[in-house]
Amino acid sequence: MRKFYSSAMAVGTAALLALSMSACGSERDGDGDDAGSGKGFKKDALIGVALPSKTSENWVLAGGLFESGLKDAGFKFDVQYANASSPVADQQAQITAMTTKGAKVIVIGATDAAQLSTQVEAAKKSGAVVIAYDRLITGTKDLDYYVAFDNFKVGQLQGQALIDGMKAKKATGPWTVELFSGSPDDNNSGVFFNGAMDVLKPLIDKGDIVVGSGQKDIQQTATQGWKAENAQTRMDSLLTSTYNTGGKTLDGVLSPNDTLARAIIQSVKSAGKPIPVVTGQDSEVESVKSIMAGEQYSTINKDTRKLVAETINMVKALQGGNEPTVNDTKSYDNKAKVVPSFLLPPVIVTKANAAQAYADDPKLAPLTK
Ligand code: BGC
C-alpha cells in the first residue's frame, strides 16, 4: 500500500523563518560552466522545466510564465508538459532529454513524486541542479531545492474555512461532512489532507463534525489523477449511499482544489440537493465566479506569478554561483534528505475578501466587482 502521510512533515505552520542562506560564495563569477559545483554557469545556459499534465489552471499559467520569465532573464529554455495519457513515462523522458541537452537547472513539477529518482540522479550526475516546483520529489538525495506554497498551511486554511462556512449557516454542530483528497501519486495530497485534519480532527473526535459516510482515511478519500470525473463519481455514490434516505443533510465538503470542488458541486446539483459548504484551492476563474455567485465557499490564492518568480530567482542565484535563498530547512523530508525549501504563504479567499485578495490580479479582479 502506498504511504500517503510520510514525506512532508510540515510542522504546524512552520513559521516562515526568513533564513537566508545566500551569503556563501557570492564573489564567484558567473561565467563558469559547471552548475551544481557552486561556480555558476553561463548567462544564456539552457534551463529545463518539466511540468505535469494540466490538471489545474495553475499548471497552464506556470508554463507561459516560465517561458517569458526565463527568456527575459536571458536563458535558453525548454518547457514541457507531461501528456495526459502516459504522464509518468513522458515526464521521465522529458527530464532525460533535458539532461542530455545539457540543462544547467531542471525545474520539475512532478507527475508522480516517487517515480523520478533515476532521472533526478542522472541530471545531478551531469552537473544540473534539480529544483522541485510545487510538488516534492521523494526518495532521492539528489534533489537540491524545493519551492512551493506552504502546503500544510493550505490544508489548515481549507479545514478552517470548512468550519467557518458551516458555522455561518448553522451556528452549532453537529455538522455532517464528506472529505476528499487529491491524487495519491502527488506528495502534496497527503500534506493538504494532514493540514486539514489538523484542524478538523479535534472536532470530529468531539462529535461536532460527523463524516456522514464514515470515510475518513486518505485512501478512501483520494481522487486519482486529480480528475474531476473521479470526484464527481465518488460524490454521486456518497449521495446515493448516505444522503438519499434517513434525512441526513450534508453541511460541508472538504475539497482539496477548485477543479474537484466544481465537480462535487455539479454532483450535488444534479442530485437536486442543496449545495453544502465546499472548499477549494487555486483561484481558478470558474471557481472565483462560483464563489461570487454564492455557490463554492472558498478557494486558496497561490499566486503562480510569485511561485514562478521565486523559482527563477533561484535559477539566477545558481547562475551567479550563489546559494539560492531558502526559508525552511525542516519541513520537507523526502525520505532521503530534508530538502531546503522556499515556501510562500497561501491566502484563503471567500466572497468576503475576494476583491481585496485579487486586487492586483488583472484576470481575477474584474470578477469580484
Ligand atoms: C497543486 C495544486 C493543484 C493540484 C492539481 C497540486 O500539486 O499544489 O495547486 O490543484 O496539484 O493540479
Side-chain angles (χ1 to χ4, degrees):
M1 187 183 64
R2 194 181 287 281
K3 271 185 93 189
F4 295 85
Y5 286 86
S6 50
S7 28
M9 313 298 291
V11 200
T13 49
L16 297 178
L17 304 168
L19 124 15
S20 164
M21 295 181 58
S22 48
C24 32
S26 46
E27 13 1 332
R28 293 176 198 136
D29 79 45
D31 293 321
D33 205 10
D34 42 350
S37 69
K39 290 206 185 120
F41 48 83
K42 291 202 174 98
K43 286 188 168 136
D44 65 347
L46 176 69
I47 309 299
V49 181
L51 297 172
S53 30
K54 298 172 182 172
T55 44
S56 45
E57 261 172 41
N58 53 338
W59 296 114
V60 180
L61 288 172
L65 290 166
F66 271 117
E67 287 183 357
S68 54
L70 289 169
K71 185 164 178 253
D72 290 349
F75 295 109
K76 295 190 192 78
F77 55 85
D78 181 10
V79 177
Q80 301 287 340
Y81 285 96
N83 73 38
S85 52
S86 55
V88 176
D90 202 36
Q91 186 166 61
Q92 289 171 335
Q94 287 165 349
I95 295 167
T96 302
M98 289 168 189
T99 303
T100 309
K101 283 192 261 177
K104 293 298 177 197
V105 181
I106 302 184
V107 175
I108 304 171
T111 280
D112 183 326
Q115 304 280 341
L116 294 176
S117 54
T118 308
Q119 291 70 31
V120 170
E121 274 157 38
K124 183 81 182 163
K125 220 179 214 158
S126 81
V129 174
V130 183
I131 301 175
Y133 171 86
D134 189 278
R135 297 174 173 177
L136 192 64
I137 297 168
T138 56
T140 171
K141 61 177 176 15
D142 291 323
L143 176 63
D144 294 290
Y145 301 100
Y146 180 42
V147 53
F149 280 87
D150 183 338
N151 300 300
F152 192 80
K153 181 78 190 166
V154 167
Q156 288 180 314
L157 292 171
Q158 290 172 329
Q160 192 56 51
L162 184 64
I163 296 169
D164 294 346
M166 292 193 299
K167 271 194 182 156
K169 281 194 177 172
K170 189 173 91 177
T172 52
W175 300 280
T176 303
V177 304
E178 292 300 336
L179 309 173
F180 282 71
S181 55
S183 191
D185 47 18
D186 175 357
N187 188 74
N188 284 348
S189 301
V191 188
F192 297 148
F193 193 73
N194 286 352
M197 289 309 265
D198 183 54
V199 175
L200 297 175
K201 190 160 180 303
L203 279 84
I204 294 175
D205 290 347
K206 271 201 288 178
D208 287 344
I209 291 183
V210 178
V211 180
S213 64
Q215 297 182 10
K216 284 182 259 194
D217 295 335
I218 196 166
Q219 291 88 340
Q220 297 171 304
T221 61
T223 311
Q224 192 62 47
W226 285 102
K227 287 200 174 123
E229 61 264 33
N230 293 340
Q232 192 161 342
T233 306
R234 177 163 177 259
M235 192 68 227
D236 289 347
S237 57
L238 288 172
L239 290 173
T240 310
S241 65
T242 312
Y243 299 93
N244 264 359
T245 50
K248 255 191 219 171
T249 306
L250 179 60
D251 296 308
V253 180
L254 175 76
S255 165
N257 82 355
D258 286 349
T259 309
L260 306 191
R262 296 196 302 277
I264 290 161
I265 291 171
Q266 186 54 51
S267 164
V268 174
K269 278 184 171 174
S270 310
K273 305 218 179 275
I275 300 174
V277 172
V278 183
T279 61
Q281 163 173 212
D282 292 335
S283 298
E284 296 201 339
V285 169
E286 289 309 316
S287 283
V288 173
K289 286 186 192 164
S290 171
I291 288 171
M292 298 317 288
E295 294 198 335
Q296 188 174 323
Y297 178 70
S298 65
T299 185
I300 302 272
N301 195 15
K302 303 195 305 185
D303 192 332
T304 304
R305 296 171 300 177
K306 290 190 184 148
L307 196 60
V308 170
E310 284 306 336
T311 312
I312 294 178
N313 281 344
M314 279 194 174
V315 174
K316 286 180 185 164
L318 291 162
Q319 185 278 321
N322 300 316
E323 219 21 83
T325 300
V326 297
N327 61 12
D328 183 288
T329 52
K330 60 174 198 249
S331 298
Y332 284 93
D333 183 341
N334 80 345
K335 296 178 218 159
K337 72 190 279 195
V338 179
V339 185
S341 305
F342 191 91
L343 302 182
L344 285 165
V347 176
I348 187 77
V349 183
T350 63
K351 193 173 177 177
N353 72 336
Q356 182 206 342
Y358 303 129
D360 73 339
D361 188 323
K363 187 181 63 188
L364 298 179
L367 305 179
T368 65
K369 297 274 152 39

